Amino acid sequence: MTHLARSRSVFGGDFKGKEAALGAIARYPQMLQDITLDFHDIVANDKHVVALVNSSFKRGGKRIRTRSSISPHHDQAKATEGWIIADTELAKTAVAG
């Protein structure tokens, strides 16, 4: 299961299963251009990983910069759940125009 902060964003929601999660991720390059991710820091233990990410993308000729946190939970080297905390309102505004 992957959780993206809901808040009325086109990207937000809960996505259960590999196909649903990949489908949600596939929407990004369809709506945004020149997506870049710069991993600021990664912290991990036996069960969790937290990545602090500076990201940017282009939409309508404007570059948008944001920060997010990606937190997958894993069990025996297999990701079982993930959380992405990001400024989805910023992305929504960029996608809308």
Side-chain angles (χ1 to χ4, degrees):
M1 166 105 45
T2 300
H3 311 280
L4 296 170
R6 284 181 182 260
S7 75
R8 301 181 313 222
S9 169
V10 294
F11 297 115
D14 293 330
F15 305 94
K16 186 170 184 169
K18 182 178 179 179
E19 294 302 317
L22 290 174
I25 294 167
R27 287 189 289 176
Y28 282 86
Q30 294 171 1
M31 300 176 132
L32 309 172
Q33 295 82 44
D34 195 22
I35 300 169
T36 62
L37 303 174
D38 175 29
F39 288 86
H40 174 73
D41 201 359
I42 298 174
V43 181
N45 65 23
D46 291 344
K47 295 284 183 186
H48 299 93
V49 175
V50 176
L52 304 176
V53 183
N54 295 314
S55 58
S56 67
F57 57 88
K58 283 185 180 177
R59 175 72 178 180
K62 294 190 316 187
R63 169 132 335 254
I64 312 297
R65 297 180 198 288
T66 188
R67 294 182 178 145
S68 59
S69 171
I70 303 170
S71 307
H73 175 86
H74 55 88
D75 188 18
Q76 297 179 1
K78 180 180 178 185
T80 57
E81 188 169 14
W83 293 83
I84 300 172
I85 309 299
D87 188 344
T88 56
E89 285 302 311
L90 178 64
K92 177 183 173 184
T93 301
V95 169

